[in-house]
Amino acid sequence: MEKAIEVVGNISGVLGILACLVSGLFRIVGQYTFFDKILLESMFILGIGLMVFACMAKLHLLSSRK
């Protein structure tokens, strides 16, 4: 179970960083939507949420080890 939480935490952290990076780059270029449907602010908030989830998963792993 610990290995699954670690893998999910790592994947969500990487996806969160990529979502924030992509939304930031598109915003710098001057676009406000992604594929004309997804607002970049929503994508940025999704990235932040994924990174927070990754931090919580890592914190759970660290607190459960003795």
Side-chain angles (χ1 to χ4, degrees), residues 6-63:
E6 183 178 358
V7 169
V8 170
N10 288 338
I11 290 172
S12 67
V14 169
L15 288 177
I17 291 170
L18 288 176
C20 288
L21 186 66
V22 167
S23 67
L25 290 175
F26 271 82
R27 187 67 181 216
I28 288 173
V29 171
Q31 297 209 355
Y32 296 98
T33 59
F34 188 68
F35 292 130
D36 292 330
K37 294 184 184 207
I38 302 171
L39 290 175
L40 290 177
E41 290 87 5
S42 300
M43 191 170 176
F44 186 73
I45 291 171
L46 173 70
I48 291 172
L50 285 170
M51 288 189 289
V52 168
F53 177 77
C55 290
M56 291 296 191
K58 294 290 185 176
L59 184 62
H60 176 73
L61 279 178
L62 288 174
S63 66

